[in-house]
Amino acid sequence: MLRADDLVFAHPGQTSPYHFSLSAEAGEVTAISGASGSGKSTLLDLLAGFLSPSAGTLLLDGTDIAALPPEKRPVSLLLQADNLFDHLTAADNVALGLPKGIDKGTGKEKVRAALAEVGLGEFADKPASTLSGGQKQRVALARTLLRDRPVLLLDEPFSALDDETRRTTRDLVAELTRRHGWHTVLVSHHADDIAALAQRHYRLSDGRLIAA
């Protein structure tokens, strides 16, 4: 279980700090909703390690990870923008998720397997610039598979997709979360995404998370 217990944080000049508490189970999607400026991005930055709380704990299976820097934290972050390099192939973009020092042949096999798992096995040699928005998000998910981190943070990952691509990508996220036992935390403004994906839903209001 991923559990945040009263993570306290205030931006400079912020008079009333945020107090974040939530639980996210392995193999499930936990959704976060709230108005613009309510603190959703701040929460993700705290979970990812880009911001440090002034108090509180962040536990993953009983181990406090709040002091770990972003590169040491068992967390992957997928944004609305896919963060691919358009001049690289799909396979080369996925390979950026490989651990350092891995054997070249083994790495190539892992990349191909990850692309196949997200339904893009035949796109390995396609430049990212030629892929659709949905295909790019799938490549980003394949890269996440290689990182093998148990916490996946999603920040409005479907916003730029058309309705059909949104549904299929959403289904893929749900399946990968179950299959790999990820603790997936989804920030979304879209009620349909939350209803389709989330087993738990928190709403941010007045700097605190409220079970919805």
Side-chain angles (χ1 to χ4, degrees):
M1 173 185 285
L2 176 69
R3 183 178 180 88
D5 285 320
D6 198 24
L7 293 179
V8 180
F9 181 83
H11 294 285
Q14 183 179 342
T15 57
S16 181
Y18 296 111
H19 290 262
F20 296 127
S21 295
L22 63 82
S23 296
E25 292 283 357
E28 293 185 356
V29 176
T30 298
I32 310 295
S33 63
S36 296
S38 61
K40 299 186 299 298
S41 294
T42 298
L43 171 60
L44 289 188
D45 285 344
L46 286 166
L47 296 179
F50 301 127
L51 295 175
S52 298
S54 59
T57 57
L58 179 61
L59 304 175
L60 179 62
D61 295 332
T63 299
D64 194 345
I65 62 173
L68 294 177
E71 67 274 11
K72 297 291 187 181
R73 199 165 288 204
V75 173
S76 292
L77 177 61
L78 184 60
L79 306 173
Q80 179 179 340
D82 46 70
N83 290 331
L84 302 188
F85 293 98
D86 279 345
H87 66 287
L88 297 180
T89 66
D92 288 339
N93 271 288
V94 174
L96 296 174
L98 287 168
K100 292 180 180 179
I102 192 169
D103 172 78
K104 185 176 181 180
T106 301
K108 188 173 182 179
E109 289 178 7
K110 287 183 176 292
V111 167
R112 296 279 178 171
L115 282 169
E117 188 168 355
V118 300
L120 291 179
E122 71 274 25
F123 289 84
D125 298 322
K126 298 284 188 181
S129 59
T130 67
L131 301 179
S132 70
Q135 289 166 343
K136 287 182 176 182
Q137 286 294 55
R138 285 172 178 257
V139 170
L141 280 168
R143 187 169 57 199
T144 296
L145 289 171
L146 294 188
R147 289 178 177 148
D148 193 27
R149 295 174 180 174
V151 179
L152 174 63
L153 308 179
L154 302 175
D155 191 359
E156 296 284 357
F158 316 121
S159 293
L161 307 180
D162 61 75
D163 288 345
E164 179 58 29
T165 305
R166 175 191 291 270
R167 284 192 292 271
T168 57
T169 308
R170 205 165 57 192
D171 290 346
L172 177 62
V173 168
E175 172 58 27
L176 292 175
T177 295
R178 288 191 296 268
R179 187 184 307 161
H180 294 279
W182 290 338
H183 307 72
T184 297
V185 179
L186 166 72
V187 163
S188 180
H189 286 101
H190 296 274
D192 288 348
D193 292 342
I194 293 171
L197 275 175
Q199 286 75 44
R200 299 181 186 214
H201 178 199
Y202 293 90
R203 182 171 54 84
L204 253 172
S205 180
D206 296 325
R208 294 178 182 270
L209 289 165
I210 301 168

